[in-house]
Amino acid sequence: MATGVKPRVKVPGSASAGEVITIKTLISHQMESGQRKDGDGNKIPRSIINRFTCDFNGENVIDVTMEPAISTNPYFEFQATVPETGEFKFTWYDDDGSVYEDSKSVTVG
Amino acid sequence: MDFTRRETLAMGAGAALLSFMPFRANAAAVDDLIAEFTGGAEMGDAGVELNAPEIAENGNTVPIEVSAPGASAILLLAAGNPTPPVAKFAFGPLAGSQTASTRIRLAGTQDVIAIAQLGDGTFARTSKTIKVTIGGCGG
Amino acid sequence: MLRTTTTLAAGLIAAATVGWADADDNELVINGEIEITTEAAAPAYVEGLSEIYSGWRFREVDTQATQMDDFDNPAFLAVDAAKEVWDTVEGEAGKSCASCHGDVMESMKGVRAVYPKWNETAGEVRTLAMQINDCRTENLKAEAYDYTSDEMTAMEALISVPSRGMPVNVAVDGPVQSTWEQGKEMYYTRYGQLELSCSNCHEDNYGNYIRADHLSQGQINGFPVYRLKNTKLNQVQDRFKGCIRDTRAETFKPGSPEFVALELYVASRGNGLDVEAPSVRN
């Protein structure tokens, strides 16, 4: 089981209505590929975050299916349209069933 | 990370091999994955872009950006990895653009492929060869 | 330029595929506001170099870019974690780092730039890692970190952040002088089956390629370093260990008196470059 998993998210705090903003996310995770072997030659089992989603007020921005080829500490940068004041919700889904969440509010004014 | 002398020698041999030929081993697997995504449809070559370094300083962390204006989804594959799938980006109604960047692992010099399902339902494909340097100094 | 090309063990340098490529001309500005000096006149006691360059100047553009924004720099995952530790009470004294030192961004300003340094009370040269552990065991009454552990590198990274953009200014004389001399002698001593000294690669051949690796001057103003290779923060003495192991030598242990001396000397070779830790390298 992955320990010490912590997300970081960068979102502007305010925007004008309909503005396109850039979002960056980073989460601490080993992303064990399932390809490596330990010192005794045994395969280390795969343990990755397999999906990442970003929604704003319940509507989807991006939904990423992630494979073991995504690097340790997965990083994403993408753009979102902000139609109104509300909240971005970020969700990462771990192979082991864990779900990591973060959220950021954006004020339109 | 500590390596025994034998492991180091084995890696050296592998590295020598890699530096002379890009991986081609997974051609069939890659074709299958593409067919699964496109349903076997024809692919154009306009409408999808892939930005990545020509030479990656370390295969463990290679920055890459995919972009396809109006697309509903982009599939990213690394043809030379032990398992070629890398990611699939599906863009929702609030996507500000159909662009995404991430950092990926490449097992050696190889072709990275991006296929987009465009706004009109057709598919477009692009690829880029990324050289992965294998350093002499592990440290 | 003062340096001459030394012939290294057969085949190492000869296998270069890209040829000679010195430090580039790129400028390092972090978060669009912290200007980092990555090039300076070599200190007078560094006889083999006329200019000193940060390792950042030898990296590919993509790697360089990762260090130019604290959000893109994955080392800040560790910095965030260490910030929590800083504020958390630990050990039998019932204190946290913050109990004595308050805001790390204020109290630790300039600290990273002058380590390793002489500790008068203890009568020894101390690295930042040694000082962190001394604080933990003596003041917090908590357990020492393993010298190269993730906890240690994270704390070193956090303490380095407020010194970014300040010049490295390590003392080389006075009570540290004998340790500094010891470090200097190690720097020029050939180790291992490959019979390589630090200077063979990092003074005589920086800018050249050793196989596909672009050799830097081995400056340590960026340590701890987030390496793309192992995707974690690397402690400077762990890096020394890797370097010496690559010469096929029995290496010294991180935290050993030998590596403390070497760290002091190598740090002093970068006097004049700015602290840029935690940095990103290949």
Side-chain angles (χ1 to χ4, degrees):
Chain A
M1 145 120 205
T3 51
V5 176
K6 259 188 96 87
R8 295 185 94 213
V9 172
K10 187 176 183 181
V11 180
S14 61
S16 53
E19 189 181 340
V20 172
I21 60 166
T22 296
I23 294 175
K24 294 180 180 186
T25 70
L26 187 66
I27 187 164
S28 58
H29 197 285
Q30 191 58 36
M31 294 293 282
E32 190 60 58
S33 68
Q35 300 288 337
R36 299 201 307 167
K37 289 178 178 171
D38 64 19
D40 299 325
N42 302 314
K43 222 168 211 191
I44 304 171
R46 168 184 146 152
S47 174
I48 68 166
I49 292 174
N50 56 51
R51 186 179 173 209
F52 164 71
T53 61
C54 170
D55 298 281
F56 181 80
N57 288 352
E59 252 198 299
N60 183 250
V61 176
I62 196 166
D63 185 339
V64 186
T65 309
M66 298 162 63
E67 304 287 348
I70 299 292
S71 300
T72 303
N73 302 332
Y75 170 91
F76 291 110
E77 182 178 338
F78 52 93
Q79 293 185 309
T81 306
V82 184
E84 73 256 336
T85 294
E87 190 177 70
F88 280 102
K89 195 172 166 223
F90 305 91
T91 316
W92 293 260
Y93 299 85
D94 196 302
D95 273 353
D96 69 9
S98 305
V99 175
Y100 317 110
E101 291 177 322
D102 201 350
S103 58
K104 290 279 178 203
S105 297
V106 179
T107 309
V108 168
Chain B
M1 206 180 291
D2 291 319
F3 297 108
T4 63
R5 184 176 126 81
R6 184 169 300 171
E7 283 167 344
T8 308
L9 290 174
M11 284 190 293
L17 201 65
L18 294 187
S19 60
F20 288 115
M21 54 172 212
F23 282 95
R24 307 281 319 218
N26 285 314
V30 169
D31 289 346
D32 288 350
L33 288 161
I34 294 174
E36 195 185 317
F37 182 64
T38 63
E42 290 288 307
M43 291 177 284
D45 53 11
V48 58
E49 277 188 47
L50 205 163
N51 286 319
E54 259 173 62
I55 300 172
E57 212 157 14
N58 192 289
N60 244 343
T61 316
V62 183
I64 195 158
E65 181 190 74
V66 291
S67 179
S72 55
I74 302 175
L75 179 70
L76 186 62
L77 303 171
N81 273 1
T83 55
V86 176
K88 189 170 86 180
F89 302 91
F91 299 100
L94 287 185
S97 68
Q98 286 69 41
T99 301
S101 303
T102 186
R103 296 168 181 161
I104 70 172
R105 293 167 171 156
L106 296 177
T109 296
Q110 58 178 287
D111 289 338
V112 173
I113 303 164
I115 296 149
Q117 180 164 28
L118 301 175
D120 61 4
T122 63
F123 291 88
R125 177 189 194 278
T126 187
S127 72
K128 182 163 181 175
T129 303
I130 301 178
K131 286 183 187 158
V132 175
T133 58
I134 297 153
C137 292
Chain C
M1 204 166 282
L2 297 167
R3 70 220 186 86
T4 52
T5 300
T6 308
T7 309
L8 293 190
L12 280 176
I13 294 287
T17 48
V18 197
W20 195 76
D22 222 331
D24 64 28
D25 292 327
N26 294 345
E27 286 175 17
L28 175 54
V29 180
I30 297 172
N31 301 332
E33 58 183 25
I34 309 170
E35 290 179 17
I36 303 283
T37 300
T38 58
E39 175 178 349
Y45 48 78
V46 182
E47 288 149 18
L49 300 174
S50 54
E51 293 287 320
I52 52 175
Y53 301 98
S54 161
W56 185 84
R57 296 275 294 274
F58 296 86
R59 303 279 52 94
E60 297 281 340
V61 173
D62 294 298
T63 309
Q64 289 181 334
T66 310
Q67 197 188 317
M68 295 178 77
D69 181 316
D70 287 350
F71 196 89
D72 293 345
N73 181 346
F76 278 79
L77 287 165
V79 170
D80 282 355
K83 185 74 186 64
E84 278 185 28
V85 173
W86 181 269
D87 292 324
T88 304
V89 171
E90 205 182 342
E92 288 166 17
K95 291 196 274 194
S96 69
C97 305
S99 308
C100 296
H101 296 294
D103 181 359
V104 65
M105 292 302 287
E106 287 302 322
S107 62
M108 292 295 126
K109 207 173 263 179
V111 169
R112 167 66 178 80
V114 294
Y115 270 88
K117 68 180 251 193
W118 181 253
N119 183 295
E120 190 61 46
T121 317
E124 64 181 9
V125 174
R126 277 205 186 144
T127 61
L128 186 56
M130 288 164 74
Q131 185 59 48
I132 289 168
N133 266 344
D134 188 77
C135 236
R136 288 183 60 80
T137 55
E138 298 307 307
N139 299 329
L140 300 186
K141 305 289 179 202
E143 287 208 8
Y145 291 140
D146 284 345
Y147 200 89
T148 60
S149 62
D150 291 347
E151 291 82 4
M152 178 63 86
T153 52
M155 187 54 72
E156 287 180 304
L158 172 68
I159 291 172
S160 300
V161 170
S163 296
R164 289 189 303 177
M166 300 174 74
V168 175
N169 186 19
V170 171
V172 300
D173 49 13
V176 306
Q177 200 205 348
S178 61
T179 307
W180 184 83
E181 294 286 355
Q182 182 193 352
K184 182 178 181 183
E185 186 174 332
M186 286 178 71
Y187 192 88
Y188 289 100
T189 300
R190 290 174 179 265
Y191 288 97
Q193 291 176 329
L194 297 183
E195 297 187 13
L196 289 171
S197 70
C198 306
S199 65
N200 290 151
C201 286
H202 296 294
E203 185 170 285
D204 303 336
N205 279 293
Y206 74 84
N208 284 330
Y209 282 79
I210 186 161
R211 283 191 51 177
D213 264 352
H214 193 193
L215 282 170
S216 72
Q217 290 183 342
Q219 298 287 357
I220 59 173
N221 56 314
F223 276 86
V225 165
Y226 186 91
R227 293 188 71 188
L228 304 180
K229 171 200 165 79
N230 59 12
T231 56
K232 68 182 195 74
L233 278 172
N234 291 257
Q235 219 275 340
V236 64
Q237 295 194 12
D238 222 7
R239 191 70 183 90
F240 289 164
K241 181 178 142 189
C243 253
I244 294 192
R245 189 203 54 222
D246 283 353
T247 71
R248 299 189 185 170
E250 284 286 340
T251 133
F252 303 100
K253 275 173 74 145
S256 65
E258 291 85 359
F259 271 169
V260 172
L262 186 61
E263 183 178 338
L264 172 64
Y265 175 70
V266 176
S268 80
R269 291 174 65 92
N271 272 354
L273 297 175
D274 282 352
V275 173
E276 58 178 80
S279 65
V280 181
R281 302 285 187 264
N282 57 327

